Amino acid sequence: MFARLLQLLPVITCAWTNQQWAVTINKAGLQRTLSQQMTKEFLLISRGSKVTEYRAKLLESMSSFNTTLHALMVGDSSNDILPAPDHRVASALQEVELEWIPMEKLLRENMDTVRSADGSYNMLVLEELSSRNVPLLDTSDAVVKALVDAAQVSGASTNGLVQDIAGRQRTLIQRLAKGILFLSQGVSMTFNMKAYSNTKVLFETSHDGIIQGVPFAGLPVLNKMCTLHQMREVSFYYEQLRPLLTGITNAETPSTSQKAADVVAEEVVELLDPLFLAMVEAVKLFGQDDGSCNPSASMTHSEWHAFFMTLAQQEILTKTTMQYFTQVGLKVDVKSSQVEITVRLSQASGNLRNLIEGNKVKGIPAPPSQEIVDELLSVDATWKTFESELEAAVHLESVSSVTMARVDLLGERILEVLGRVMHMGLAMVTNTTVPAYVIDQSFGQALLACEITQSAVLLNFDHDVTSNWDSLNASRAAYTSTMWKLLEGEPGKYHRVTDVCLVHQVKHANDLFRRFEQAALSVGHGHSVDMENLVLLSPLVLRALEESAESLSTGNSSCGNTSLLADEWIQLHQKAAAIATLSQEITAEYILVKQGESHNTQRLEVLVEDLDTSLRHIMFGSFDPPIAAPPSQEKFDHMLTHLAPEVADLKQAIFGIDVTTVLNAGDKMMLDAQTLQDQYLEGLMSADPHWPGKRVDVARRQVTLAQKIMTEAALYAYDLRSSDAELNAVVTKFEQAHLQLRDGGGGLSEIMLPERQDLLTQWEQVDSAWQQVRGYLRTDPISRLESAILQLVAELTKIIPLYAMMDVKDPDTFPWPTLVYSIIGALILSCCCVMVILPWALSRRRATKTPHNGATVRSAADEV
């Protein structure tokens, strides 16, 4: 046969296609695999594992080996297998045949007898198999290498080296199984233990190499999307196997190795099958133009979520590394910053590999498009330089400004490309439930915090002052704008937050950010004393913002203790009252503007802005002024379903011309705000029963009533009301409460005098302003009433803090005059008593000394 084959070699041309070369190399590679697969199947028979099944598989493998060997010698055009293209290949095939003949005989003659009925196995046969399978593997491997070289010589465009190594992985998988089975049966322990360990290392090294590339060895980086997705499957199955395989290599003695192998042998063989099949599919892709796939169409919600989360985390790891390197370069918190850089470099490198390769164990997909693959590979190339620069400079005594600038430039390049990848991904998502924009923007908040820290530190050392101030202030503004979008929603991108626990979490992160922001501004202005505070707050803010971002991406969070202090209830009560007042103030201003009496449309705009701010504060809390987030889901739901829509309705109504619509919207908003006011008063009194909440509540409602009076007066003045009944009703209600606040009644106590003269004095100021309002209720021009209402509101605003002060009896008002007069009276009475009793007592004393009759004498004698 070989003589005829050699005669045919000179007539072989180079007209073969790339496809034929790829298929031929692949088939030759499978011969290596079959050499180990047949050994594995024979060992499973000897072990007694599914003997019938593995006997059939062994016969099939042997037949396949024979058929392919023949096809490689003479060719098989129907299957695109080329005949041996040169003498080197032909000679290598002859060597394979020489090894295969005795190997086939060993397998065929002993498959039914290697295991005895008593369960023992023929160790001599197994020892011979251990020695024979390796030469067959080596000669088959030589055929592959000869074919790869022949393809290159012919000018074929094949990925020969990569295909060879990828194909070898199939062989190594079978070789791992073979090695464990030899070890489990105690066959040539020293030799097979070493061979098994080397196989494991080679498989892992080759796996990383065919994905990440080995430039000096001519192995390129894997840059094809479909192949990357398939290699993700290979990685997934191997990660499941790795702990079992490592347990064997960690064994210290041959006996412990055998025991370890015997325990896991069956499980490893089962797990190796899906790994092998995944690798077989991957090899097909390595040998052609990557195939055709559309992974984005089949990506699940959780995979998209994981992709965007991993991408966002990579951005943060990059930015924080840049920030900490700036601190090292400027000698700020150097030791801690060096540690943080080391940790983040390690995390970022692994994270970037997950982005490029995917990680099925963690649910991270490989890139969803070829364009994204290309961008991520460019990030990887820049990252290697970035990482190298950092590692070389981070532990130096002094970092040059040139190095700092270069690291910053490389980092910005990485962030720029990652940003492009994010936008590419956003454009590809068709599932509207994937929180892609939320992930992008919420994690972007953490990036802004890093930017602020870096800018502030650079400003403190007078580095590029103008540019860094611009960056710092732009980051602050972007943070605030994005925070409200994330909480309130944005059509097509974000849904409004509806979970009160999530509101609490965002507020916690925002409160930390505001403290951090103050420290950053102080440091930026040159106050180095706040540098320590900034360095302390920076990681806390970053962690809080990342946790908040993760919760925002899922749409829910968990609450701890949401009970409020009395001061927090007071703040919420005050804000609810303020919204109720604004409802009437906006309504009144709208009427005046529409009737031409008020040309200050800007005031109406300011009032609407105040309403927006007040609604945000009561719904989501505030750092400054300090306002707590809603204390319960029930109250937050009330705002979501009533107050917020009513604010939107009022804002929309004031752009129209229908006064009734504005009035109705304003009144509905007022009533719902006052419902919250009642609830917050109840919570406040429960937290502090002694606080004078009732009268404060009434006083705050007086401010709302004052604005309501202005509305009703304007309606009546412009004939928008048919009568003044509504105006009279509001006036009466105001006046009743006004008098009760002084004299008591309706659950209120009268003003305590003389202790609360301050309260009475201010009440009189309110009364004076009220009398002026009454005088202008039905007079022209209405601007007089408007001014009087403003004055009344000002006086009411002054008195509320006085009502909030608890009444305390003044110890200086003790009735000392009464006590003094009582003492004097008692002394005079005592003197009078003495003047009356003293003479009587003296006369009695004399009477006892003068005898008047014998009886008296006898008594004296008796006494003697």
Side-chain angles (χ1 to χ4, degrees):
M1 179 186 295
F2 274 98
R4 180 173 176 273
L5 178 60
L6 292 172
Q7 290 175 357
L8 291 174
L9 288 178
V11 303
I12 294 174
T13 70
C14 295
W16 295 322
T17 65
N18 292 334
Q19 169 71 11
Q20 289 173 313
W21 279 109
V23 170
T24 304
I25 293 171
N26 182 45
K27 285 294 185 179
L30 279 172
Q31 293 292 84
R32 297 179 299 194
T33 303
L34 283 170
S35 73
Q36 302 304 289
Q37 185 172 311
M38 291 183 290
T39 305
K40 177 195 77 173
E41 289 161 350
F42 187 88
L43 288 170
L44 286 166
I45 293 170
S46 71
R47 187 179 170 86
S49 300
K50 302 177 184 177
V51 173
T52 303
E53 176 185 339
Y54 282 111
R55 185 180 186 281
K57 287 184 176 181
L58 176 58
L59 290 172
E60 182 181 351
S61 298
M62 293 166 66
S63 175
S64 178
F65 191 91
N66 270 319
T67 301
T68 303
L69 180 60
H70 181 265
L72 289 169
M73 290 176 178
V74 300
D76 182 356
S77 59
S78 63
N79 289 310
D80 280 339
I81 300 176
L82 301 176
D86 60 24
H87 290 278
R88 182 183 169 201
V89 174
S91 177
L93 286 168
Q94 187 176 18
E95 293 295 324
V96 171
E97 188 175 44
L98 292 173
E99 294 295 339
W100 170 238
I101 292 172
M103 176 75 166
E104 181 184 24
K105 181 182 179 187
L106 176 68
L107 295 174
R108 198 175 296 279
E109 291 180 354
N110 292 285
M111 67 175 70
D112 295 326
T113 59
V114 67
R115 183 175 179 84
S116 303
D118 62 0
S120 62
Y121 39 82
N122 190 328
M123 184 60 76
L124 292 176
V125 171
L126 297 184
E127 294 283 356
E128 184 180 355
L129 179 65
S130 176
S131 63
R132 284 201 177 278
N133 82 91
V134 176
L136 181 61
L137 169 62
D138 292 340
T139 53
S140 297
D141 187 55
V143 172
V144 177
K145 289 178 170 52
L147 280 168
V148 169
D149 291 343
Q152 290 178 341
V153 169
S154 74
S157 178
T158 64
N159 201 5
L161 179 60
V162 177
Q163 190 181 1
D164 176 22
I165 295 176
R168 188 180 66 190
Q169 292 294 84
R170 299 171 301 190
T171 303
L172 295 177
I173 292 168
Q174 297 296 335
R175 191 173 179 181
L176 282 169
K178 175 206 76 173
I180 289 174
L181 290 169
F182 271 135
L183 291 173
S184 70
Q185 297 182 70
V187 179
S188 304
M189 290 298 294
T190 302
F191 171 79
N192 282 309
M193 188 65 211
K194 183 178 180 181
Y196 167 77
S197 298
N198 291 340
T199 302
K200 179 176 178 293
V201 171
L202 182 57
F203 178 88
E204 293 174 357
T205 304
S206 300
H207 180 73
D208 291 340
I210 59 178
I211 297 174
Q212 300 175 26
V214 184
F216 69 86
L219 200 61
V221 173
L222 177 56
N223 60 1
K224 300 299 183 183
M225 176 186 65
C226 296
T227 311
L228 278 168
H229 275 267
Q230 185 58 38
M231 287 303 294
R232 171 179 177 255
E233 298 296 310
V234 175
S235 299
F236 170 69
Y237 290 119
Y238 186 70
E239 285 303 314
Q240 292 180 304
L241 266 168
R242 188 195 296 270
L244 300 176
L245 303 180
T246 303
I248 298 171
T249 57
N250 288 341
E252 295 179 355
T253 64
S255 61
T256 55
S257 295
Q258 181 178 356
K259 289 178 182 177
D262 188 52
V263 168
V264 300
E266 305 288 340
E267 184 178 1
V268 167
V269 169
E270 290 292 328
L271 289 173
L272 278 168
D273 282 347
L275 173 63
F276 176 73
L277 294 175
M279 194 66 227
V280 168
E281 293 302 314
V283 173
K284 294 177 184 177
L285 297 175
F286 277 109
Q288 59 191 32
D289 295 333
D290 195 46
S292 60
C293 62
N294 183 16
S296 64
S298 59
M299 280 174 62
T300 65
H301 178 285
S302 61
E303 286 178 324
W304 275 117
H305 187 277
F307 171 74
F308 286 116
M309 288 286 285
T310 308
L311 184 56
Q313 287 162 358
Q314 188 66 26
E315 291 179 306
I316 291 174
L317 287 167
T318 303
K319 189 60 182 176
T320 51
T321 303
M322 294 165 62
Q323 171 202 319
Y324 284 116
F325 187 70
T326 297
Q327 292 176 196
V328 170
L330 298 176
K331 300 187 185 304
V332 174
D333 195 32
V334 175
K335 294 299 182 184
S336 296
S337 298
Q338 289 171 332
V339 171
E340 293 294 341
I341 289 171
T342 302
V343 171
R344 276 163 172 73
L345 284 177
S346 175
Q347 291 175 336
S349 294
N351 201 67
L352 184 55
R353 294 318 311 169
N354 287 338
L355 271 175
I356 296 172
E357 302 172 25
N359 187 320
K360 196 170 180 179
V361 173
K362 295 181 178 180
I364 303 170
S369 74
Q370 186 60 53
E371 292 78 10
I372 288 178
V373 170
D374 296 340
E375 293 284 15
L376 288 174
L377 289 175
S378 73
V379 169
D380 188 52
T382 307
W383 178 265
K384 287 181 172 64
T385 306
F386 176 75
E387 186 176 36
S388 177
E389 292 279 358
L390 281 167
E391 290 175 342
V394 71
H395 293 291
L396 296 177
E397 285 293 324
S398 178
V399 179
S400 70
S401 59
V402 173
T403 300
M404 287 180 62
R406 175 159 173 73
V407 167
D408 193 64
L409 177 62
L410 290 168
E412 291 299 335
R413 285 180 185 171
I414 292 169
L415 289 172
E416 180 184 355
V417 179
L418 290 174
R420 285 204 300 270
V421 171
M422 180 67 77
H423 289 299
M424 288 178 182
L426 293 175
M428 295 177 68
V429 178
T430 57
N431 184 346
T432 56
T433 64
V434 177
Y437 287 98
V438 173
I439 294 171
D440 178 31
Q441 295 299 307
S442 59
F443 277 94
Q445 299 289 76
L447 287 176
L448 291 171
C450 295
E451 184 67 34
I452 289 171
T453 302
Q454 190 172 12
S455 296
V457 172
L458 287 167
L459 283 168
N460 194 262
F461 287 86
D462 295 325
H463 280 259
D464 200 359
V465 174
T466 301
S467 175
N468 280 302
W469 268 121
D470 288 345
S471 174
L472 190 151
N473 288 324
S475 297
R476 292 169 57 216
Y479 169 88
T480 300
S481 173
T482 302
M483 183 189 72
W484 291 122
K485 288 178 183 178
L486 288 167
L487 288 170
E488 296 174 333
E490 185 175 353
K493 292 186 177 181
Y494 326 106
H495 295 294
R496 180 188 286 273
V497 169
T498 58
D499 184 348
V500 74
C501 293
L502 188 50
V503 172
H504 279 263
Q505 186 173 11
V506 172
K507 183 180 186 302
H508 168 70
N510 184 58
D511 287 349
L512 271 176
F513 178 86
R514 296 307 174 188
R515 289 171 51 203
F516 154 81
E517 180 183 35
Q518 292 170 352
L521 288 171
S522 178
V523 169
H525 282 295
H527 302 139
S528 299
V529 68
D530 285 321
M531 185 70 78
E532 183 178 351
N533 192 30
L534 176 65
V535 169
L536 176 66
L537 285 171
S538 180
L540 298 179
V541 169
L542 183 66
R543 190 178 307 115
L545 289 172
E546 286 185 281
E547 291 172 354
S548 174
E550 290 174 7
S551 297
L552 282 166
S553 72
T554 60
N556 57 68
S557 181
S558 58
C559 284
N561 182 13
T562 57
S563 60
L564 302 182
L565 302 174
D567 284 346
E568 293 174 314
W569 285 112
I570 291 171
Q571 295 153 7
L572 289 170
H573 178 262
Q574 180 182 0
K575 189 56 64 177
I579 292 174
T581 299
L582 279 168
S583 72
Q584 299 307 305
E585 196 171 1
I586 289 172
T587 302
E589 192 68 27
Y590 169 81
I591 295 169
L592 295 175
V593 169
K594 289 302 178 183
Q595 296 300 320
E597 292 290 343
S598 173
H599 302 288
N600 189 9
T601 55
Q602 185 179 1
R603 173 169 163 73
L604 183 58
E605 293 172 359
V606 170
L607 289 173
V608 172
E609 289 178 4
D610 288 346
L611 179 59
D612 284 336
T613 301
S614 296
L615 180 66
R616 283 176 168 179
H617 287 173
I618 201 169
M619 289 189 70
F620 305 113
S622 167
F623 176 73
D624 184 21
I627 299 171
S632 70
Q633 186 66 49
E634 179 185 9
K635 291 180 175 59
F636 189 49
D637 287 342
H638 175 80
M639 297 180 211
L640 289 171
T641 57
H642 294 87
L643 196 58
E646 286 154 11
V647 167
D649 289 345
L650 180 59
K651 287 168 61 180
Q652 183 177 3
I654 63 176
F655 289 108
I657 59 174
D658 187 0
V659 174
T660 302
T661 303
V662 175
L663 287 174
N664 291 339
D667 286 344
K668 284 181 67 178
M669 194 180 91
M670 178 185 71
L671 292 174
D672 274 309
Q674 288 181 334
T675 297
L676 279 176
Q677 194 173 335
D678 291 335
Q679 293 174 352
Y680 289 143
L681 177 64
E682 182 181 348
L684 169 57
M685 298 313 297
S686 176
D688 186 357
H690 301 294
W691 195 75
K694 178 64 175 175
R695 69 184 182 191
V696 172
D697 183 66
V698 172
R700 284 177 176 159
R701 289 173 189 267
Q702 289 291 81
V703 179
T704 303
L705 285 173
Q707 297 295 348
K708 182 70 172 172
I709 289 169
M710 183 66 213
T711 300
E712 293 298 334
L715 289 169
Y716 181 67
Y718 296 119
D719 295 325
L720 299 173
R721 290 284 198 206
S722 58
S723 74
D724 62 354
E726 287 87 352
L727 174 60
N728 291 334
V730 180
V731 168
T732 300
K733 189 173 182 179
F734 182 94
E735 194 151 53
Q736 287 175 346
H738 177 56
L739 294 174
Q740 286 173 346
L741 284 167
R742 182 192 65 181
D743 303 329
L748 302 180
S749 301
E750 64 179 332
I751 294 177
M752 180 186 290
L753 293 174
E755 290 82 1
R756 296 307 308 272
Q757 184 62 47
D758 60 333
L759 188 53
L760 179 60
T761 299
Q762 184 56 37
W763 184 93
E764 290 169 348
Q765 293 294 107
V766 173
D767 185 63
S768 176
W770 168 238
Q771 297 309 321
Q772 191 173 29
V773 167
R774 289 198 58 136
Y776 292 138
L777 280 176
R778 296 171 179 81
T779 62
D780 290 329
I782 200 168
S783 58
R784 293 180 180 178
L785 176 62
E786 185 180 13
S787 297
I789 289 288
L790 289 174
Q791 183 60 36
L792 174 60
V793 169
E795 297 300 337
L796 285 167
T797 303
K798 292 177 185 177
I799 203 170
I800 290 174
L802 299 179
Y803 281 127
M805 296 170 59
M806 288 190 287
D807 295 335
V808 179
K809 197 72 175 176
D810 191 347
D812 293 336
T813 61
F814 189 81
W816 289 111
T818 303
L819 179 61
V820 170
Y821 287 131
S822 298
I823 293 172
I824 293 173
L827 289 173
I828 293 173
L829 180 61
S830 299
C831 291
C832 292
C833 291
V834 169
M835 292 175 64
V836 172
I837 294 172
L838 185 59
W840 177 81
L842 292 173
S843 64
R844 289 286 296 171
R845 181 180 179 86
R846 286 195 298 269
T848 55
K849 291 183 178 181
T850 305
H852 293 286
N853 50 46
T856 303
V857 173
R858 282 194 299 272
S859 297
D862 291 341
E863 289 176 3
V864 175

